[in-house]
Amino acid sequence: MLLVDDWTDFELIDTGNGEKLERWGEYILRRPDPQVIWPPINKDKRWDQAHAHYHRSKSGGGSWEYFMPLPEKWEISYGDLKFYVKPMGFKHTGLFPEQAVNWRWIIKKIKGCPGPVRVLNLFAYTGGASLAAAYAGADEVCHVDAAKGMVTWAKENLQLSGLADRRVRFIVDDVVKFVQREIRRGRQYEAIIMDPPSYGRGPNGELWKIEDELYNLIDLCLQVLAPEPLFFLINSYTTGLAPTVLRNILTLALKKRYGGTVTADEVGLPIARSGLVLPCGATGRWEADE
């Protein structure tokens, strides 16, 4: 398992009974997590000191309960990267801290590359991977997400991190349609990152279901991959989609064509109180031989 254990502005304090207790900067949040099917052990007293608590509704969705006023948004840092976070609908905060394990890897791969690196980041959300690529010195980063609000948020994170002068294109579009247009335009990228949802819809109602669409999307993306690619990274939060599935897909789609190395693993966060690990999805990586 790939663990993120070097945060200072984020901490997974404790877990139990379907919930996790987290510190985001100076604020403590309680949020549900379907992976937490165990009880709290030596329960941390901060469970009763949370600033806000997200309650799921039996009819779907849920809402935040606030125990004291919180800022509309606040800043946290991971090394030199800075992000705005805030309580959102569906329990989210605008950042997945476990993805720092991939940000570190992206930075290392790009900084160590002697040639040009153009990065395509699909389903790019609020821009964690885009910031990492820009920070590492990518010649160009193309950030694509169907949600206008998330793209705006990513721009704010880029500015907050002092990277506004980097060459980053922000695109609000359906991922598949955008890649199809890039193929027609003849554009190419040395690195592709994607963080596809389990299920979703594009801006015009386009249906996305990961089990049906993931391999086809990867196959489509090969048409915008440069002749000498650097890496291809896939993240998945889909329950039941094992890392081996990502490994198999990348092996079939990329390794047989370009050689290189394929790895896949779970991603997790250490739980400070218990010493256990919270699983947070899977990641698959293809990288060219050095």
Side-chain angles (χ1 to χ4, degrees):
M1 178 178 278
L2 302 173
L3 289 179
V4 182
D5 56 5
D6 58 349
W7 274 97
T8 56
D9 280 1
F10 170 84
E11 180 186 14
L12 179 52
I13 300 170
D14 201 1
T15 58
N17 296 335
E19 290 190 316
K20 54 189 175 183
L21 182 71
E22 305 163 307
R23 177 179 59 81
W24 296 82
E26 61 183 281
Y27 300 106
I28 296 175
L29 304 180
R30 285 180 65 170
R31 299 194 293 159
D33 192 301
Q35 299 280 4
V36 182
I37 60 173
W38 53 86
I41 307 298
N42 298 321
K43 187 175 181 179
D44 194 289
K45 64 181 181 181
R46 285 171 289 182
W47 281 103
D48 299 319
Q49 299 171 0
H51 295 85
H53 184 186
Y54 188 88
H55 299 276
R56 281 198 182 280
S57 169
K58 292 182 179 180
S59 60
S63 61
W64 286 94
E65 177 184 10
Y66 294 94
F67 302 105
M68 58 189 67
L70 288 180
E72 180 184 351
K73 61 183 179 182
W74 63 94
E75 175 186 329
I76 67 170
S77 300
Y78 178 78
D80 293 329
L81 305 181
K82 300 181 186 298
F83 307 92
Y84 286 120
V85 295
K86 63 181 179 181
M88 300 165 57
F90 299 103
K91 78 176 182 178
H92 295 302
T93 62
L95 194 67
F96 294 97
E98 67 276 4
Q99 284 303 313
V101 73
N102 281 322
W103 306 338
R104 289 199 308 252
W105 184 79
I106 290 167
I107 291 169
K108 180 180 177 181
K109 294 299 296 183
I110 294 175
K111 280 191 171 183
C113 182
V117 182
R118 294 160 294 183
V119 179
L120 177 61
N121 187 12
L122 304 174
F123 308 101
Y125 197 50
T126 59
S130 297
L131 264 65
Y135 173 78
D139 296 85
E140 178 188 340
V141 179
C142 184
H143 174 110
V144 186
D145 198 281
K148 184 177 180 179
M150 296 300 102
V151 174
T152 299
W153 195 335
K155 290 181 183 179
E156 293 173 351
N157 286 339
L158 190 78
Q159 294 172 347
L160 185 65
S161 297
L163 299 170
D165 62 332
R166 305 300 168 96
R167 190 177 178 187
V168 181
R169 291 194 297 151
F170 291 97
I171 309 293
V172 180
D173 203 351
D174 174 75
V175 160
V176 172
K177 291 183 177 179
F178 176 78
V179 173
Q180 289 170 339
R181 283 197 295 273
E182 291 290 86
I183 293 169
R184 293 194 292 270
R185 288 188 283 249
R187 294 185 62 89
Q188 294 184 324
Y189 300 87
E190 283 74 26
I192 296 179
I193 301 163
M194 62 174 65
D195 200 342
S198 301
Y199 178 88
R201 291 188 180 276
N204 297 312
E206 300 89 348
L207 179 63
W208 166 273
K209 191 174 180 182
I210 192 169
E211 295 89 343
D212 298 334
E213 304 294 342
L214 181 58
Y215 189 88
N216 291 335
L217 175 60
I218 294 170
D219 198 44
L220 185 69
C221 286
L222 295 182
Q223 298 181 60
V224 296
L225 204 57
E228 297 184 6
L230 180 62
F231 67 80
F232 202 116
L233 171 64
I234 308 172
N235 291 306
S236 172
Y237 294 94
T238 303
T239 303
L241 195 63
T244 302
V245 173
L246 300 182
R247 180 185 290 112
N248 291 346
I249 290 174
L250 289 171
T251 297
L252 290 171
L254 284 115
K255 185 175 175 61
K256 289 191 174 183
R257 180 179 300 197
Y258 298 104
T261 302
V262 174
T263 57
D265 210 336
E266 284 188 279
V267 176
L269 288 169
I271 304 168
R273 184 69 175 180
S274 63
L276 301 175
V277 173
L278 179 66
C280 303
T283 191
R285 301 167 175 175
W286 173 87
E287 54 190 306
D289 290 330
E290 296 183 358

